[in-house]
Amino acid sequence: MKFGKRYSKATVLMAMLHGVVIGIAAVALIGLVLFMARGKDEPSASGKEVPTGGPAAVETPEAAPTPPEKTLSLFAKQHGAFSTAEAAAVFIAEDPSLTKAAVIHAGDSYFVWSAVGVKEGEIETSDYEGTYRKAFSVNTSACGAIGAGKLNDVLAETEIGQIKNLTAQQNEANEEGEMKDFYKNLTSITTFTTDMRILRLQLLSHYSSTNNCVKFTF
């Protein structure tokens, strides 16, 4: 006796096709679930990690740029350059015309200058004297720590009357502290010269040799 039921070829083929479709759909569904789960674990496309919990990330602000140091361009009347302060001093002592000259120590050299101007035309040179005009820049930022914070302003000034008014006002106010020495130096210089070129020279000589707060650039 036969208990099996006969199926036509068309029925068998449809059953097989139905099974294939169901299998493909199942694989596609599993793949979609895995893709979505992977997308949640990976960082965002921007390259920045996205926290899944806890406080939001805080970006550290960039540090503010350091302002450039203030420099002043000047011109000097130079008579010579020496390797020692003694040699420069002897050179000045041997020339009576250099009574108001000064020694400027910059780097490894000692320069003999007799005038400092803010403009090139202020400095006259002479082949007979053997002098020439030397351009340079100074930075006096470090002088503020010793009470000479106004040195740069005084060096840039062109009228001796403005300097005298400044020292008179400070003397009336009886300025004390570190600034007192600065105004005292100004008063001393203006008692023997009214030439701003000499005043600049003497200030540069004093604060570059005694206090070493003037930075020269040639």
Side-chain angles (χ1 to χ4, degrees), residues 132-187:
Y132 65 95
R133 188 183 299 109
K134 187 178 186 67
F136 66 100
S137 297
V138 292
N139 184 289
T140 60
S141 300
C143 296
I146 59 170
K150 290 186 178 295
L151 178 59
N152 194 81
D153 296 335
V154 173
L155 293 174
E157 182 57 61
T158 58
E159 298 294 334
I160 191 67
Q162 296 294 333
I163 304 301
K164 290 185 175 182
N165 290 338
L166 178 63
T167 55
Q169 291 173 5
Q170 297 304 320
N171 290 334
E172 290 176 1
N174 194 22
E175 182 74 42
E176 296 294 339
E178 294 178 336
M179 292 291 290
K180 182 178 181 179
D181 290 336
F182 176 71
Y183 290 113
K184 183 179 179 180
N185 291 334
L186 281 182
T187 301

Side-chain angles (χ1 to χ4, degrees), residues 118-146:
V118 294
K119 296 181 180 180
E120 188 175 0
E122 290 183 72
I123 304 302
E124 297 178 357
T125 59
S126 169
D127 292 336
Y128 175 77
E129 294 177 329
T131 58
Y132 65 95
R133 188 183 299 109
K134 187 178 186 67
F136 66 100
S137 297
V138 292
N139 184 289
T140 60
S141 300
C143 296
I146 59 170

Side-chain angles (χ1 to χ4, degrees), residues 11-80:
T11 302
V12 174
L13 182 60
M14 289 297 296
M16 292 176 62
L17 181 60
H18 183 67
V20 171
V21 172
I22 293 176
I24 293 175
V27 172
L29 180 61
I30 294 173
L32 179 62
V33 172
L34 291 176
F35 178 81
M36 292 178 66
R38 184 181 178 185
K40 290 181 180 181
D41 295 334
E42 290 182 351
S44 61
S46 64
K48 297 182 179 180
E49 295 185 0
V50 180
T52 57
V58 178
E59 294 185 1
T60 303
E62 295 183 0
T66 303
E69 295 183 341
K70 187 176 182 181
T71 59
L72 178 65
S73 298
L74 299 168
F75 301 89
K77 183 176 182 179
Q78 181 163 306
H79 295 259

